[in-house]
């Protein structure tokens, strides 16, 4: 990770090395925080943040889901994100807002702890590698099941819930794969450790529904919107492990991962073993949308 220069902390711009927290920060002990991951892109009209409002609205929903009292307006935090990108002189990069319980409580009731907000931004290339974006990645089905709505809030980005993703990711890397796909407690496919999944079969796209315990991904929604506008049929439906093995194409979507093809699942090649036509179409349309080349989706961009 490349260090940037400035982090926004509770309304102040703080030099990178001074953006520190105390050892007794509640969120450090119990994961009592919520966050977002957002990208800014170079466009012909300058740097723009992709679907910033949707990300900050999801952040606010995450605070509500976990009962974190948070006084900011969505517009204030959107402006803070633009400020961080400007202050770091970034033309493109990744933006990480975090709302966390800080000092003031050390038991499980965080009510007495101060709620703090920080926003960092830095340069970040392809999350699953340039080679992965071009030729596809190798994934495995995790032995870990995705957190369920009976224990957590899968549609929220709660920091503590990411220990589940970390277990799956570590297992995938340790056993020689690039990424993990998780089944849910019902045995249906949910998603990757930090990405949503799409499957192509006979020219139709399928993706697990929100009720499969996935995050309601903003890239997922964007890709669905872009492809449906091109006449591609997309069905939100439960998928099994067998459906993946028999797929013509598979790809992942996420702010960090963008649109990443999957070339193998559990050592079985998918389709031809090369990124297929619907995957390429999703990649191209998404790349055009984020870089301001699609006039019809200019309202998804927030210029810094
Ligand atoms: N699922 C999980 C578990 C994630 O952490 C992410 C990344 N935020 C995604 C899916 C993709 O969501 P988005 O497209 O909104 O980045």
């Amino acid at each position: 990770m490349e260090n940037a220069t400035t982090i926004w902390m509770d309304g102040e711009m703080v030099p990178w090395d001074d953006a520190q927290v105390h050892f007794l920060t509640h969120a450090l002990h119990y994961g009592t925080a919520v966050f977002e991951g957002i990208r800014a892109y170079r466009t012909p009209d300058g740097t723009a943040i992709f679907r910033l409002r949707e990300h900050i609205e999801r952040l606010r929903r995450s605070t509500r889901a976990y009962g974190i009292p948070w006084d900011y307006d969505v517009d204030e935090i959107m402006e803070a994100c633009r400020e961080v990108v400007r202050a770091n002189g970034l033309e493109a990069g990744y933006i990480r807002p975090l709302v966390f319980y800080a000092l003031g409580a050390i038991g499980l009731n965080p009510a007495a702890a101060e709620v703090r907000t920080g926003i960092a931004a830095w340069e970040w290339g392809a999350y699953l590698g340039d080679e992965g974006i071009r030729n596809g990645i190798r994934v495995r089905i995790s032995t870990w099941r995705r957190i369920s709505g009976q224990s957590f809030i899968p549609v929220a980005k709660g920091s503590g819930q990411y220990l589940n993703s970390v277990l799956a990711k570590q297992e995938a890397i340790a056993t020689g794969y690039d990424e993990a796909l998780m089944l849910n407690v019902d045995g249906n496919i949910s998603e990757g450790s930090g990405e949503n999944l799409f499957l192509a079969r006979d020219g139709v796209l399928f993706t697990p529904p929100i009720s499969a315990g996935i995050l309601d991904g903003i890239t997922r929604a964007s890709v669905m919107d872009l492809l449906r506008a091109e006449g591609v049929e997309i069905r939100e439906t439960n998928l099994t492990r067998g459906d993946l093995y028999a797929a013509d194409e598979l790809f992942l979507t996420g702010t960090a991962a963008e649109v990443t093809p999957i070339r193998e699942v559990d050592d079985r090649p998918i389709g031809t073993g090369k990124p297929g036509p619907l995957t390429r179409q999703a990649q191209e349309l998404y790349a055009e949308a984020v870089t301001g080349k699609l006039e019809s989706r200019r309202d998804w961009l927030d210029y810094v």
Side-chain angles (χ1 to χ4, degrees):
M1 181 184 149
E2 301 268 324
N3 284 10
T5 58
T6 312
I7 294 180
W8 186 98
M9 294 285 281
D10 306 307
E12 312 271 317
M13 286 296 185
V14 177
W16 181 272
D17 290 328
D18 299 341
Q20 310 277 358
V21 295
H22 193 275
F23 172 68
L24 290 178
T25 295
H26 198 274
L28 208 50
H29 295 251
Y30 305 116
T32 44
V34 296
F35 69 99
E36 267 305 317
I38 312 171
R39 269 193 195 267
Y41 290 89
R42 268 180 214 93
T43 83
D45 300 314
T47 298
I49 304 175
F50 187 66
R51 305 200 78 172
L52 177 59
R53 182 171 296 280
E54 286 85 346
H55 280 282
I56 304 305
E57 279 173 354
R58 187 170 66 187
L59 181 67
R60 188 171 57 176
R61 285 198 301 279
S62 294
T63 65
R64 289 188 178 156
Y66 281 107
I68 303 176
W70 196 53
D71 300 331
Y72 289 103
D73 290 338
V74 165
D75 288 290
E76 270 177 288
I77 297 299
M78 287 172 63
E79 178 51 23
C81 290
R82 289 187 286 263
E83 261 176 67
V84 173
V85 172
R86 285 194 292 263
N88 286 287
L90 294 173
E91 286 184 8
Y94 186 82
I95 307 165
R96 166 55 55 81
L98 177 77
V99 180
F100 61 103
Y101 278 112
L103 281 186
I106 204 56
L108 284 171
N109 177 9
E114 186 190 0
V115 174
R116 299 189 58 189
T117 306
I119 308 171
W122 62 91
E123 264 183 60
W124 209 16
Y127 176 61
L128 294 165
D130 291 328
E131 149 72 19
I133 290 263
R134 267 196 307 277
N135 298 320
I137 59 165
R138 298 177 57 250
V139 306
R140 64 166 286 168
I141 307 285
S142 183
T143 62
W144 297 100
R145 298 295 175 106
R146 162 83 175 156
I147 52 162
S148 109
Q150 294 183 40
S151 307
F152 278 102
I153 308 171
V155 289
K157 283 182 75 74
S159 296
Q161 38 192 76
Y162 278 81
L163 277 176
N164 174 241
S165 292
V166 168
L167 284 171
K169 183 82 182 182
Q170 283 176 328
E171 179 188 54
I173 300 296
T175 51
Y177 299 86
D178 303 309
E179 185 54 289
L181 290 174
M182 275 186 277
L183 305 179
N184 60 25
V185 289
D186 299 322
N188 291 312
I189 301 294
S190 64
E191 59 184 339
S193 67
E195 309 87 8
N196 293 115
L197 176 79
F198 284 84
L199 175 156
R201 189 170 63 211
D202 296 331
V204 176
L205 275 181
F206 299 84
T207 193
I210 306 301
S211 59
I214 62 170
L215 183 76
D216 190 356
I218 292 167
T219 318
R220 173 182 181 274
S222 305
V223 162
M224 287 170 75
D225 185 65
L226 290 166
L227 285 170
R228 277 181 174 152
E230 296 291 307
V232 176
E233 184 181 342
I234 305 179
R235 296 190 207 150
E236 289 179 80
T237 179
N238 279 318
L239 298 169
T240 63
R241 187 170 187 154
D243 292 327
L244 301 195
Y245 292 169
D248 297 333
E249 302 177 41
L250 293 175
F251 62 86
L252 294 172
T253 63
T255 298
E258 302 175 298
V259 179
T260 300
I262 294 175
R263 68 181 158 90
E264 266 179 44
V265 176
D266 295 343
D267 302 307
R268 297 162 183 248
I270 298 305
T272 61
K274 298 214 164 61
L278 281 169
T279 306
R280 286 293 181 223
Q281 196 180 358
Q283 282 188 311
E284 280 159 25
L285 283 169
Y286 186 70
E288 285 173 10
V290 299
T291 54
K293 288 173 195 129
L294 281 188
E295 203 46 56
S296 60
R297 300 298 188 288
R298 285 292 280 269
D299 59 339
W300 284 353
L301 298 179
D302 210 286
Y303 292 91
V304 307

